[in-house]
């Protein structure tokens, strides 16, 4: 077998083990899918503290870009953003309290989750950014055509926040 064929086969089989992505269908808040209708979110979490207009400049949750209105349902430590036509998605999750649990494929993510634990779950990270106080890791949607995903923020080595992100 030629060396180039062997290298090609190694790349094909090794890439899925090394590359990371997030399957939105496996991510849940208190057992509820992160992508849900407004009525299901209200049933599971009750009335939000407030409902706001997110006014994103661009991306999948931008009223101006998508030509439809979006709203954010704000709860303590979590925010769902969307509309009646395209449902709502978990826009933000703060790891401040024990009221809400975030689970990915049977594994709990919480304020004790480390970067190493996240890497065990998702594999090697391609996108990792550091600032003075935080480390940010972007994990794209399993559906690469969407061009969206979640940004995981770590402070002092522990998970503090995840935020939904979509390209402009």
């Amino acid at each position: 077998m030629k060396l180039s064929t062997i290298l090609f086969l190694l790349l094909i089989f090794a890439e899925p083990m090394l590359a990371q992505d997030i399957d939105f269908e496996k991510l849940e808040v208190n057992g509820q899918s992160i992508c849900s209708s407004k009525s299901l979110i209200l049933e599971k979490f009750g009335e939000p503290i407030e409902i706001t207009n997110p006014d994103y400049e661009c991306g999948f949750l931008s009223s101006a870009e998508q030509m439809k209105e979006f709203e954010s349902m704000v709860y303590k430590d979590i925010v769902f953003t969307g509309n009646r036509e395209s449902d709502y998605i978990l826009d933000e999750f703060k790891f401040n309290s024990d009221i809400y649990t975030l689970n990915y494929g049977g594994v709990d993510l919480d304020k004790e989750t480390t970067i190493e634990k996240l890497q065990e779950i998702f594999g090697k990270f391609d996108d990792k950014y550091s600032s003075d106080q935080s480390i940010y890791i972007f994990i794209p949607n399993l559906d690469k055509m969407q061009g969206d995903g979640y940004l995981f923020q770590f402070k002092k080595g522990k998970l503090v926040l995840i935020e939904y992100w979509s390209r402009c």
Side-chain angles (χ1 to χ4, degrees):
M1 197 181 270
K2 290 184 180 178
L3 181 60
S4 60
T5 305
I6 292 171
L7 289 174
F8 177 72
L9 290 172
L10 282 173
L11 283 173
I12 287 175
F13 292 111
E15 184 180 353
M17 294 185 296
L18 297 174
Q20 85 292 346
D21 49 36
I22 190 165
D23 183 348
F24 284 8
E25 292 180 15
K26 292 182 179 180
L27 193 58
E28 298 178 337
V29 177
N30 287 21
Q32 176 70 43
S33 172
I34 60 150
C35 300
S36 297
S37 68
K38 183 175 184 175
S39 62
L40 283 174
I41 293 168
L42 290 171
E43 183 180 313
K44 183 73 173 187
F45 301 103
E47 289 297 320
I49 296 167
E50 68 178 320
I51 295 178
T52 63
N53 177 336
D55 197 29
Y56 290 122
E57 187 176 315
C58 58
F60 293 144
L61 301 177
S62 165
S63 296
E65 190 171 302
Q66 301 300 321
M67 305 293 285
K68 52 187 166 185
E69 289 300 312
F70 287 87
E71 66 179 15
S72 292
M73 295 191 303
V74 180
Y75 295 88
K76 184 182 183 323
D77 299 327
I78 59 173
V79 177
F80 288 94
T81 300
N83 59 39
R84 293 190 187 279
E85 295 91 40
S86 56
D87 285 340
Y88 289 70
I89 189 164
L90 180 66
D91 197 6
E92 184 177 287
F93 188 104
K94 295 177 186 174
F95 293 88
N96 290 333
S97 69
D98 297 323
I99 297 172
Y100 303 109
T101 60
L102 190 66
N103 185 286
Y104 183 77
V107 178
D108 286 337
L109 301 173
D110 57 33
K111 58 188 171 189
E112 296 302 315
T113 300
T114 62
I115 294 171
E116 292 77 23
K117 179 67 174 178
L118 201 67
Q119 193 161 358
E120 286 175 22
I121 297 167
F122 293 105
K124 181 178 173 273
F125 301 122
D126 294 329
D127 297 318
K128 183 176 173 182
Y129 311 94
S130 296
S131 71
D132 293 342
Q133 300 288 323
S134 299
I135 294 174
Y136 300 90
I137 297 169
F138 178 70
I139 302 178
N141 186 346
L142 178 65
D143 182 353
K144 300 293 186 205
M145 297 300 292
Q146 293 294 324
D148 61 349
Y150 278 95
L151 190 63
F152 292 73
Q153 181 183 0
F154 290 83
K155 285 188 179 179
K156 297 180 182 175
K158 304 290 182 166
L159 186 58
V160 294
L161 174 76
I162 69 164
E163 293 179 291
Y164 175 75
W165 179 89
S166 68
R167 66 179 168 198
C168 290

